[in-house]
Structures are given as C-alpha cells and as structure tokens.
Amino acid sequence: MGESVAGRLFSVLDAFEGEGKGGRPPVLRLTDIAARTGLPAPTALRLVRELVAWGGLERGADGGYRLGLRLRVLGAAAPCPRGLLDAALPALRALGARTGGRADLAVLAGPSADGVLCLVGGDRPPPHATAYGKVLLAAPPAELPRHTRHTVVSPGVLAGQLARVRAAGLAVCAEEFRLGEVTVAAPVRGEGGGGTVGALGVTVSTGVPLDRVVAAVRAAVARVRSPAPAP
C-alpha cells in the first residue's frame, strides 16, 4: 500500500485477511497489526482507534481486535431485510461489546424446513448446528450432516430441541458447528409481537459464563423494535 492515510487504513484491514485459529475470524493484538502492516506502533494504534470508532474493527475483552460489525454489514450477502438490520444494529453492537463475542442477526431464506441460514456478514452456517437455526427452523431439515462430535443428527432429538426452544424463546448450541464455540440466540419478533422474523445472538468461546451471555442476549433482543412490513 502507498503512504496515503487511506492506504494505511486499508493495510490495517488487510492484516485481518485469512483465518485465525480453528478456522475462526482472526483476532490480532496491536503488535500483530504493526508487524503485518510494517507501520510504527503509534501510527498503527491511531489508525486502529479510528477504525474502532467507525465500527470497522472491534476490541475484545482480551485486548485483541477483529473485523467489526460495520464491515460485515457493508459486505453482507445475506438477504436480510434492510429495515430489520437497521433496527437491530444498536442491539448487535451492545451485545458484542457486553460479551466480547461475535454478535449476529440471522434470517432463514427458503422453506422453513430446508432453508439456508444467512447471517449478517454473509456466512451460511448449517441451521441445525447453530442456535440461530434452532430459533428459526420450524422442523428438522431433510439432511443433518455431522460437523463435530456434538452435532445433533437425529431428527427426533432435534425436533424435541426445536419445541423446547420455541417454548423458552432462547437457544443455546454448544460446539455443534465448531469446537470451542457456543452460540446463544433468541427470536426477533415482528411488529406488535408477531411471528419470528429473525434470530439475534452471539458466538462466544466455551468457558465464558453462560448465564451472563444468556442475560445479554435477552436484553439485546428486547431492544430491537422490528419495523412494520412494507405495504
């Protein structure tokens, strides 16, 4: 990259290219960013702070940085209704900051039993193996591939889980998609308490106090005021 301010900013974002441990999005310390960009540490710190303020980067509770929600929204390929996304953004930012995890909004594209689960950032994880999918699925999908030893692949077991999630208004999914990760999600209701229009939740590392994450998800989803459907 060149020496312009924009070039330096782009070089900081480029430092996050690729995957981190376990195939997850990379989390970098300031020293990592300076080393990958070749920028002096004070310059890297200034640029990182500007990106955090804008929403392009997020600072975790451990001091590491990762790509922020605003970048994921800008690059979103998911068919998430714009009004719903706008309504959920403040809650998503608060949830990520409170838990130190990756907060997401999800919708199900296609038939309710075999639809494609779409997260804000364009990711499409398997519905049956995430808390988001367990909130949104009406019935077990036709195929239930195993992703880890914890993945539920029995239609009967999954059907029971879906019934309990609907009753509780909350789903917790531990290491079913990736080892070392737990997702917690709750339904986003339509205007006036109507049907479920999406799922809002967060992915955290195993070992994070679950009661704190559950409370944070419930508080976040309560803040979302779903827009009225277009006439």
Side-chain angles (χ1 to χ4, degrees), residues 126-149:
H128 70 289
T130 70
Y132 302 101
K134 292 179 194 292
V135 166
L136 295 171
L137 286 172
E143 296 183 4
L144 298 172
R146 185 179 298 278
H147 296 274
T148 76
R149 64 181 182 275

PDB file of all heavy atoms in Angstrom, residues 126-149:
ATOM      1  N   PRO A 126     -24.740 -24.210   8.904  1.00  0.00           N
ATOM      2  CA  PRO A 126     -25.845 -25.173   8.855  1.00  0.00           C
ATOM      3  C   PRO A 126     -26.883 -24.849   9.919  1.00  0.00           C
ATOM      4  O   PRO A 126     -26.546 -24.719  11.101  1.00  0.00           O
ATOM      5  CB  PRO A 126     -25.152 -26.514   9.138  1.00  0.00           C
ATOM      6  CG  PRO A 126     -23.918 -26.143   9.896  1.00  0.00           C
ATOM      7  CD  PRO A 126     -23.475 -24.828   9.350  1.00  0.00           C
ATOM      8  N   PRO A 127     -28.159 -24.714   9.561  1.00  0.00           N
ATOM      9  CA  PRO A 127     -29.175 -24.314  10.541  1.00  0.00           C
ATOM     10  C   PRO A 127     -29.279 -25.248  11.744  1.00  0.00           C
ATOM     11  O   PRO A 127     -29.491 -24.796  12.873  1.00  0.00           O
ATOM     12  CB  PRO A 127     -30.472 -24.315   9.722  1.00  0.00           C
ATOM     13  CG  PRO A 127     -30.046 -24.149   8.308  1.00  0.00           C
ATOM     14  CD  PRO A 127     -28.728 -24.855   8.208  1.00  0.00           C
ATOM     15  N   HIS A 128     -29.148 -26.559  11.516  1.00  0.00           N
ATOM     16  CA  HIS A 128     -29.370 -27.498  12.611  1.00  0.00           C
ATOM     17  C   HIS A 128     -28.256 -27.486  13.645  1.00  0.00           C
ATOM     18  O   HIS A 128     -28.427 -28.025  14.740  1.00  0.00           O
ATOM     19  CB  HIS A 128     -29.526 -28.925  12.064  1.00  0.00           C
ATOM     20  CG  HIS A 128     -28.262 -29.503  11.514  1.00  0.00           C
ATOM     21  ND1 HIS A 128     -27.691 -29.060  10.337  1.00  0.00           N
ATOM     22  CD2 HIS A 128     -27.442 -30.490  11.980  1.00  0.00           C
ATOM     23  CE1 HIS A 128     -26.591 -29.751  10.094  1.00  0.00           C
ATOM     24  NE2 HIS A 128     -26.422 -30.627  11.070  1.00  0.00           N
ATOM     25  N   ALA A 129     -27.113 -26.869  13.316  1.00  0.00           N
ATOM     26  CA  ALA A 129     -25.954 -26.923  14.204  1.00  0.00           C
ATOM     27  C   ALA A 129     -25.631 -25.580  14.841  1.00  0.00           C
ATOM     28  O   ALA A 129     -24.543 -25.408  15.392  1.00  0.00           O
ATOM     29  CB  ALA A 129     -24.725 -27.437  13.432  1.00  0.00           C
ATOM     30  N   THR A 130     -26.550 -24.616  14.781  1.00  0.00           N
ATOM     31  CA  THR A 130     -26.333 -23.318  15.407  1.00  0.00           C
ATOM     32  C   THR A 130     -27.577 -22.905  16.184  1.00  0.00           C
ATOM     33  O   THR A 130     -28.692 -23.343  15.889  1.00  0.00           O
ATOM     34  CB  THR A 130     -26.042 -22.215  14.371  1.00  0.00           C
ATOM     35  OG1 THR A 130     -27.231 -21.945  13.633  1.00  0.00           O
ATOM     36  CG2 THR A 130     -24.923 -22.616  13.422  1.00  0.00           C
ATOM     37  N   ALA A 131     -27.386 -22.050  17.170  1.00  0.00           N
ATOM     38  CA  ALA A 131     -28.518 -21.540  17.938  1.00  0.00           C
ATOM     39  C   ALA A 131     -29.451 -20.724  17.055  1.00  0.00           C
ATOM     40  O   ALA A 131     -30.666 -20.733  17.242  1.00  0.00           O
ATOM     41  CB  ALA A 131     -28.022 -20.695  19.110  1.00  0.00           C
ATOM     42  N   TYR A 132     -28.888 -20.006  16.075  1.00  0.00           N
ATOM     43  CA  TYR A 132     -29.715 -19.206  15.172  1.00  0.00           C
ATOM     44  C   TYR A 132     -30.711 -20.100  14.423  1.00  0.00           C
ATOM     45  O   TYR A 132     -31.896 -19.796  14.315  1.00  0.00           O
ATOM     46  CB  TYR A 132     -28.835 -18.458  14.165  1.00  0.00           C
ATOM     47  CG  TYR A 132     -27.824 -17.548  14.788  1.00  0.00           C
ATOM     48  CD1 TYR A 132     -26.488 -17.935  14.913  1.00  0.00           C
ATOM     49  CD2 TYR A 132     -28.192 -16.294  15.270  1.00  0.00           C
ATOM     50  CE1 TYR A 132     -25.552 -17.094  15.495  1.00  0.00           C
ATOM     51  CE2 TYR A 132     -27.259 -15.448  15.854  1.00  0.00           C
ATOM     52  CZ  TYR A 132     -25.937 -15.854  15.968  1.00  0.00           C
ATOM     53  OH  TYR A 132     -25.015 -15.026  16.551  1.00  0.00           O
ATOM     54  N   GLY A 133     -30.201 -21.188  13.882  1.00  0.00           N
ATOM     55  CA  GLY A 133     -31.057 -22.094  13.142  1.00  0.00           C
ATOM     56  C   GLY A 133     -32.107 -22.751  14.021  1.00  0.00           C
ATOM     57  O   GLY A 133     -33.255 -22.940  13.606  1.00  0.00           O
ATOM     58  N   LYS A 134     -31.735 -23.093  15.257  1.00  0.00           N
ATOM     59  CA  LYS A 134     -32.699 -23.740  16.150  1.00  0.00           C
ATOM     60  C   LYS A 134     -33.828 -22.780  16.520  1.00  0.00           C
ATOM     61  O   LYS A 134     -34.939 -23.205  16.843  1.00  0.00           O
ATOM     62  CB  LYS A 134     -31.979 -24.266  17.387  1.00  0.00           C
ATOM     63  CG  LYS A 134     -31.025 -25.433  17.086  1.00  0.00           C
ATOM     64  CD  LYS A 134     -30.312 -25.909  18.335  1.00  0.00           C
ATOM     65  CE  LYS A 134     -29.131 -26.825  18.024  1.00  0.00           C
ATOM     66  NZ  LYS A 134     -29.503 -28.125  17.472  1.00  0.00           N
ATOM     67  N   VAL A 135     -33.543 -21.469  16.494  1.00  0.00           N
ATOM     68  CA  VAL A 135     -34.600 -20.479  16.717  1.00  0.00           C
ATOM     69  C   VAL A 135     -35.532 -20.403  15.512  1.00  0.00           C
ATOM     70  O   VAL A 135     -36.747 -20.275  15.653  1.00  0.00           O
ATOM     71  CB  VAL A 135     -33.988 -19.093  17.009  1.00  0.00           C
ATOM     72  CG1 VAL A 135     -35.037 -17.995  16.897  1.00  0.00           C
ATOM     73  CG2 VAL A 135     -33.350 -19.068  18.394  1.00  0.00           C
ATOM     74  N   LEU A 136     -34.962 -20.495  14.311  1.00  0.00           N
ATOM     75  CA  LEU A 136     -35.720 -20.212  13.095  1.00  0.00           C
ATOM     76  C   LEU A 136     -36.367 -21.428  12.440  1.00  0.00           C
ATOM     77  O   LEU A 136     -37.361 -21.298  11.738  1.00  0.00           O
ATOM     78  CB  LEU A 136     -34.803 -19.521  12.075  1.00  0.00           C
ATOM     79  CG  LEU A 136     -34.279 -18.138  12.483  1.00  0.00           C
ATOM     80  CD1 LEU A 136     -33.208 -17.669  11.506  1.00  0.00           C
ATOM     81  CD2 LEU A 136     -35.408 -17.127  12.540  1.00  0.00           C
ATOM     82  N   LEU A 137     -35.817 -22.611  12.644  1.00  0.00           N
ATOM     83  CA  LEU A 137     -36.357 -23.795  11.986  1.00  0.00           C
ATOM     84  C   LEU A 137     -37.730 -24.168  12.541  1.00  0.00           C
ATOM     85  O   LEU A 137     -37.949 -24.160  13.758  1.00  0.00           O
ATOM     86  CB  LEU A 137     -35.408 -24.983  12.165  1.00  0.00           C
ATOM     87  CG  LEU A 137     -34.123 -24.986  11.335  1.00  0.00           C
ATOM     88  CD1 LEU A 137     -33.213 -26.124  11.787  1.00  0.00           C
ATOM     89  CD2 LEU A 137     -34.434 -25.125   9.852  1.00  0.00           C
ATOM     90  N   ALA A 138     -38.633 -24.515  11.651  1.00  0.00           N
ATOM     91  CA  ALA A 138     -39.950 -24.994  12.070  1.00  0.00           C
ATOM     92  C   ALA A 138     -39.947 -26.506  12.266  1.00  0.00           C
ATOM     93  O   ALA A 138     -40.755 -27.048  13.025  1.00  0.00           O
ATOM     94  CB  ALA A 138     -41.000 -24.621  11.027  1.00  0.00           C
ATOM     95  N   ALA A 139     -39.039 -27.196  11.597  1.00  0.00           N
ATOM     96  CA  ALA A 139     -38.942 -28.652  11.677  1.00  0.00           C
ATOM     97  C   ALA A 139     -37.523 -29.050  11.275  1.00  0.00           C
ATOM     98  O   ALA A 139     -36.807 -28.272  10.657  1.00  0.00           O
ATOM     99  CB  ALA A 139     -39.966 -29.311  10.748  1.00  0.00           C
ATOM    100  N   PRO A 140     -37.081 -30.257  11.632  1.00  0.00           N
ATOM    101  CA  PRO A 140     -35.740 -30.698  11.248  1.00  0.00           C
ATOM    102  C   PRO A 140     -35.560 -30.713   9.732  1.00  0.00           C
ATOM    103  O   PRO A 140     -36.465 -31.142   9.003  1.00  0.00           O
ATOM    104  CB  PRO A 140     -35.649 -32.113  11.831  1.00  0.00           C
ATOM    105  CG  PRO A 140     -36.622 -32.113  12.959  1.00  0.00           C
ATOM    106  CD  PRO A 140     -37.756 -31.239  12.500  1.00  0.00           C
ATOM    107  N   PRO A 141     -34.423 -30.264   9.220  1.00  0.00           N
ATOM    108  CA  PRO A 141     -34.152 -30.344   7.778  1.00  0.00           C
ATOM    109  C   PRO A 141     -34.051 -31.792   7.319  1.00  0.00           C
ATOM    110  O   PRO A 141     -33.912 -32.713   8.129  1.00  0.00           O
ATOM    111  CB  PRO A 141     -32.800 -29.632   7.631  1.00  0.00           C
ATOM    112  CG  PRO A 141     -32.632 -28.829   8.881  1.00  0.00           C
ATOM    113  CD  PRO A 141     -33.338 -29.596   9.951  1.00  0.00           C
ATOM    114  N   ALA A 142     -34.106 -31.967   6.000  1.00  0.00           N
ATOM    115  CA  ALA A 142     -34.026 -33.321   5.446  1.00  0.00           C
ATOM    116  C   ALA A 142     -32.654 -33.938   5.684  1.00  0.00           C
ATOM    117  O   ALA A 142     -32.530 -35.147   5.855  1.00  0.00           O
ATOM    118  CB  ALA A 142     -34.336 -33.280   3.947  1.00  0.00           C
ATOM    119  N   GLU A 143     -31.612 -33.105   5.681  1.00  0.00           N
ATOM    120  CA  GLU A 143     -30.254 -33.608   5.876  1.00  0.00           C
ATOM    121  C   GLU A 143     -29.659 -32.983   7.133  1.00  0.00           C
ATOM    122  O   GLU A 143     -29.799 -31.778   7.369  1.00  0.00           O
ATOM    123  CB  GLU A 143     -29.376 -33.278   4.660  1.00  0.00           C
ATOM    124  CG  GLU A 143     -29.828 -33.961   3.377  1.00  0.00           C
ATOM    125  CD  GLU A 143     -28.892 -33.680   2.216  1.00  0.00           C
ATOM    126  OE1 GLU A 143     -27.862 -33.013   2.431  1.00  0.00           O
ATOM    127  OE2 GLU A 143     -29.202 -34.120   1.103  1.00  0.00           O
ATOM    128  N   LEU A 144     -28.982 -33.815   7.913  1.00  0.00           N
ATOM    129  CA  LEU A 144     -28.379 -33.356   9.165  1.00  0.00           C
ATOM    130  C   LEU A 144     -26.918 -33.811   9.213  1.00  0.00           C
ATOM    131  O   LEU A 144     -26.564 -34.737   9.951  1.00  0.00           O
ATOM    132  CB  LEU A 144     -29.149 -33.915  10.365  1.00  0.00           C
ATOM    133  CG  LEU A 144     -30.623 -33.497  10.497  1.00  0.00           C
ATOM    134  CD1 LEU A 144     -31.295 -34.277  11.611  1.00  0.00           C
ATOM    135  CD2 LEU A 144     -30.724 -32.016  10.739  1.00  0.00           C
ATOM    136  N   PRO A 145     -26.036 -33.172   8.434  1.00  0.00           N
ATOM    137  CA  PRO A 145     -24.634 -33.590   8.439  1.00  0.00           C
ATOM    138  C   PRO A 145     -23.958 -33.313   9.779  1.00  0.00           C
ATOM    139  O   PRO A 145     -24.295 -32.346  10.468  1.00  0.00           O
ATOM    140  CB  PRO A 145     -24.014 -32.741   7.328  1.00  0.00           C
ATOM    141  CG  PRO A 145     -24.911 -31.557   7.201  1.00  0.00           C
ATOM    142  CD  PRO A 145     -26.286 -32.058   7.508  1.00  0.00           C
ATOM    143  N   ARG A 146     -23.028 -34.164  10.143  1.00  0.00           N
ATOM    144  CA  ARG A 146     -22.292 -34.015  11.393  1.00  0.00           C
ATOM    145  C   ARG A 146     -21.081 -33.100  11.164  1.00  0.00           C
ATOM    146  O   ARG A 146     -20.305 -33.308  10.226  1.00  0.00           O
ATOM    147  CB  ARG A 146     -21.824 -35.378  11.903  1.00  0.00           C
ATOM    148  CG  ARG A 146     -21.156 -35.314  13.271  1.00  0.00           C
ATOM    149  CD  ARG A 146     -20.725 -36.699  13.733  1.00  0.00           C
ATOM    150  NE  ARG A 146     -21.861 -37.605  13.891  1.00  0.00           N
ATOM    151  CZ  ARG A 146     -22.643 -37.641  14.973  1.00  0.00           C
ATOM    152  NH1 ARG A 146     -22.427 -36.796  15.963  1.00  0.00           N
ATOM    153  NH2 ARG A 146     -23.627 -38.509  15.037  1.00  0.00           N
ATOM    154  N   HIS A 147     -20.894 -32.110  12.027  1.00  0.00           N
ATOM    155  CA  HIS A 147     -19.769 -31.189  11.919  1.00  0.00           C
ATOM    156  C   HIS A 147     -18.761 -31.391  13.049  1.00  0.00           C
ATOM    157  O   HIS A 147     -17.565 -31.188  12.863  1.00  0.00           O
ATOM    158  CB  HIS A 147     -20.265 -29.745  11.905  1.00  0.00           C
ATOM    159  CG  HIS A 147     -21.117 -29.425  10.716  1.00  0.00           C
ATOM    160  ND1 HIS A 147     -20.579 -29.014   9.509  1.00  0.00           N
ATOM    161  CD2 HIS A 147     -22.454 -29.495  10.529  1.00  0.00           C
ATOM    162  CE1 HIS A 147     -21.572 -28.827   8.643  1.00  0.00           C
ATOM    163  NE2 HIS A 147     -22.704 -29.120   9.227  1.00  0.00           N
ATOM    164  N   THR A 148     -19.239 -31.760  14.222  1.00  0.00           N
ATOM    165  CA  THR A 148     -18.380 -32.133  15.340  1.00  0.00           C
ATOM    166  C   THR A 148     -19.036 -33.326  16.030  1.00  0.00           C
ATOM    167  O   THR A 148     -20.150 -33.728  15.688  1.00  0.00           O
ATOM    168  CB  THR A 148     -18.217 -30.990  16.367  1.00  0.00           C
ATOM    169  OG1 THR A 148     -19.416 -30.887  17.149  1.00  0.00           O
ATOM    170  CG2 THR A 148     -17.924 -29.653  15.680  1.00  0.00           C
ATOM    171  N   ARG A 149     -18.363 -33.853  17.019  1.00  0.00           N
ATOM    172  CA  ARG A 149     -18.946 -34.995  17.748  1.00  0.00           C
ATOM    173  C   ARG A 149     -20.184 -34.584  18.541  1.00  0.00           C
ATOM    174  O   ARG A 149     -20.936 -35.446  19.009  1.00  0.00           O
ATOM    175  CB  ARG A 149     -17.903 -35.608  18.679  1.00  0.00           C
ATOM    176  CG  ARG A 149     -17.423 -34.690  19.792  1.00  0.00           C
ATOM    177  CD  ARG A 149     -16.375 -35.387  20.647  1.00  0.00           C
ATOM    178  NE  ARG A 149     -15.914 -34.574  21.757  1.00  0.00           N
ATOM    179  CZ  ARG A 149     -14.942 -33.674  21.678  1.00  0.00           C
ATOM    180  NH1 ARG A 149     -14.325 -33.459  20.512  1.00  0.00           N
ATOM    181  NH2 ARG A 149     -14.575 -32.971  22.736  1.00  0.00           N
TER     182      ARG A 149
END
